[in-house]
Amino acid sequence: MTAPIRENLSGLDLRAEIERLRKERNAVILAHYYQKPEIQDLADFVGDSLELSRKAAETDADVIAFCGVKFMAETAKILSPQKTVILPDMDAGCSLEDSCPPEQFKRFREQHPDHIALTYINCSAAVKALSDIIVTSSSAETIISQIPESQKIIFGPDRHLGGYLNRKFGREMLLWPGVCIVHEAFSETELLKLKAQHPDAPVAAHPECPPHIVDHADYVGSTSGILQFAKSFPGDTLIVATEPHIIHQMELALPEKTFIGAPGADGNCNCNICPYMALNTMEKLYLALRDLKPQIEMDEDLRLAARKSLDRMLDMASGTVGKGDLGRA
Ligand code: 13P
Ligand code: SF4
C-alpha cells in the first residue's frame, strides 16, 4: 500500500524546491506522457517507453527521477546501473506486469521450447530476464519484421498488442493473456456515439486497446506515434483512445485544435486514467529528490540477465524514433 505523506508540505513552493533539488542532486527528471500535466511541465524529457529507455541509457546525470511506472524505472536501472534511480511512488505498478508472474512465464516458455519470447516492456525485470527480445509499442513493428516468418514466437504479456501484431503481420504468435486495465475500459458503443457526434474527427488508438476499439481507429500507434499523428492530421478535432493525460502535450502543441478522450463504459467515467501513473504527485517527487528514496535496487545477476533482451531491442530498434511505429496506413 502507498504510504500517506505525513509531513505538512503546504507552505512549500514545490516547483521551486524541485528545481533546487534537481540542480543540487544533478538529477534528470524523465516523465511518461501519462503523467499529470504539472509533472510533464517540469520534466527534462517527456516521452514514450522507448524514448525514455534511450534517455535513461544516455544521460550523464547522477540521479534519474523517473515519473512513470515501476517497470519503466527498473528499465532505467538495468540500463544505467551506476545511477541512482528514484520513483516517486514505488506502488506505481502496471496491470500487464501483474498479469505475468515470472514463474508462470517460465513454465509457459518451457512448454514451448521451439519458440522465442518476444516480450512487451511492460513486465518485471524477472520476466525480461526470461525473454529473448523486448519490444515497446513504437519498436515492435520494426523488430518483428526482422524475425524470420518461420520462427515461432511467444508474445507476452499484452494479448491485445500481440493480437494486433499477429493480424498486421500475418503471424501466429502465442499470446500471454494479459491486458491493460486502462485501455480495456474503452467502450465501443460510447466511441461510436462520439464518432456520430464528430463525423469528421479521426480516431487515434494505442495498440493496447482491444480489437473492437482498434478496428475503429484511423491511426494505431504508441503514445509518441499518436502525438505525431495529432500534430499532422489535417482536421480540427481528434478522438484519442489512450490514457487522456497525453492530451496535455497535444493542447500545448496545437491550442487551436480539439482533442477528445475516448469514453469508458458509462461515457463519463475516469476508468481510462491509469491509476498507477496517477500515484506520482509533485509532493512525492519533491520528497523522492530530497530523500533519494524510494530507490530502485536490483540484484546484479538479474540486471545482467534482463539487460540482454533490452539491449537486443535497442539494437534492433535503432533509428525507429518517430518511424517504424504501428501507424496504420
Ligand atoms: P508507450 O510505449 O506507447 O508510451 O506505452 C506505454 C504504456 O504503458 C501504455 O499504456
Ligand atoms: Fe500499465 Fe495500462 Fe497503466 Fe500503461 S496504462 S502503465 S499498460 S496499466
Side-chain angles (χ1 to χ4, degrees):
M1 279 296 290
T2 306
I5 296 176
R6 299 197 187 282
E7 291 176 51
N8 181 2
L9 303 176
S10 57
L12 280 182
D13 178 345
L14 287 172
R15 201 183 159 114
E17 285 298 305
I18 290 168
E19 290 299 349
R20 177 179 67 75
L21 287 165
R22 169 174 21 208
K23 285 196 195 90
E24 263 177 46
R25 300 279 190 209
N26 186 25
V28 65
I29 301 174
L30 303 181
H32 189 265
Y33 290 123
Y34 297 167
Q35 290 292 285
K36 298 175 204 302
E38 60 267 34
I39 292 182
Q40 293 188 38
D41 287 349
L42 58 71
D44 295 287
F45 182 79
V46 187
D48 74 4
S49 305
L50 179 66
E51 294 164 337
L52 291 168
S53 307
R54 286 190 167 130
K55 285 283 169 199
E58 71 197 21
T59 181
D60 54 13
D62 296 319
V63 175
I64 299 174
F66 211 112
C67 298
V69 290
K70 190 174 169 198
F71 77 81
M72 297 177 176
E74 273 188 353
T75 300
K77 187 70 182 174
I78 294 167
L79 295 170
S80 282
Q82 70 287 6
K83 316 264 181 227
T84 299
V85 180
I86 49 176
L87 178 66
D89 192 316
M90 205 45 95
D91 286 339
C94 170
S95 66
L96 284 168
E97 174 177 347
D98 292 347
S99 79
C100 194
E103 57 289 356
Q104 286 179 27
F105 188 71
K106 186 164 181 277
R107 245 175 280 136
F108 186 54
R109 283 223 65 176
E110 285 163 359
Q111 284 158 8
H112 303 285
D114 53 345
H115 288 58
I116 62 164
L118 190 65
T119 306
Y120 193 32
I121 197 166
N122 298 39
C123 64
S124 63
V127 168
K128 288 184 177 74
L130 291 165
S131 302
D132 296 295
I133 312 170
I134 299 301
V135 299
T136 65
S137 47
S138 61
S139 60
E141 179 173 325
T142 306
I143 289 173
I144 210 168
S145 57
Q146 293 171 57
I147 302 173
E149 277 176 26
S150 56
Q151 175 63 60
K152 294 179 181 167
I153 303 174
I154 284 170
F155 187 91
D158 185 3
R159 72 184 166 98
H160 293 319
L161 173 60
Y164 178 77
L165 292 166
N166 272 347
R167 293 193 296 282
K168 183 153 185 177
F169 286 86
R171 311 281 307 217
E172 290 179 346
M173 298 188 293
L174 286 181
L175 306 180
W176 185 267
V179 294
C180 161
I181 50 166
V182 175
H183 291 84
E184 185 79 350
F186 292 120
S187 155
E188 182 180 22
T189 310
E190 294 301 325
L191 178 61
L192 290 176
K193 281 193 214 161
L194 197 59
K195 275 171 72 80
Q197 286 162 21
H198 304 276
D200 297 327
V203 176
H206 198 281
E208 287 175 13
C209 292
H212 59 256
I213 299 296
V214 160
D215 285 349
H216 298 292
D218 300 278
Y219 176 84
V220 182
S222 68
T223 49
S224 56
I226 290 174
L227 191 55
Q228 278 184 18
F229 180 78
K231 289 176 182 169
S232 63
F233 82 104
D236 57 18
T237 304
L238 176 67
I239 298 172
V240 181
T242 193
E243 214 273 5
H245 284 111
I246 195 175
I247 291 175
H248 179 57
Q249 292 297 324
M250 298 174 183
E251 289 175 342
L252 285 178
L254 299 143
E256 71 287 359
K257 296 204 179 193
T258 304
F259 301 100
I260 308 173
D266 70 359
N268 199 19
C269 66
N270 274 342
C271 46
N272 52 8
I273 292 188
C274 176
Y276 306 103
M277 292 274 183
L279 288 175
N280 294 326
T281 60
M282 292 283 279
E283 287 81 2
K284 291 181 203 168
L285 174 58
Y286 160 72
L287 291 172
L289 279 164
R290 188 191 73 183
D291 303 338
L292 291 183
K293 61 180 194 200
Q295 254 187 55
I296 302 286
E297 281 167 30
M298 198 175 296
D299 171 81
E300 184 61 4
D301 289 341
L302 172 63
R303 188 188 74 75
L304 289 172
R307 177 148 194 163
K308 281 192 198 145
S309 55
L310 267 172
D311 277 345
R312 265 188 216 117
M313 171 184 81
L314 292 172
D315 287 347
M316 293 175 83
S318 55
T320 58
V321 174
K323 52 187 176 125
D325 205 338
L326 295 159
R328 179 168 281 179

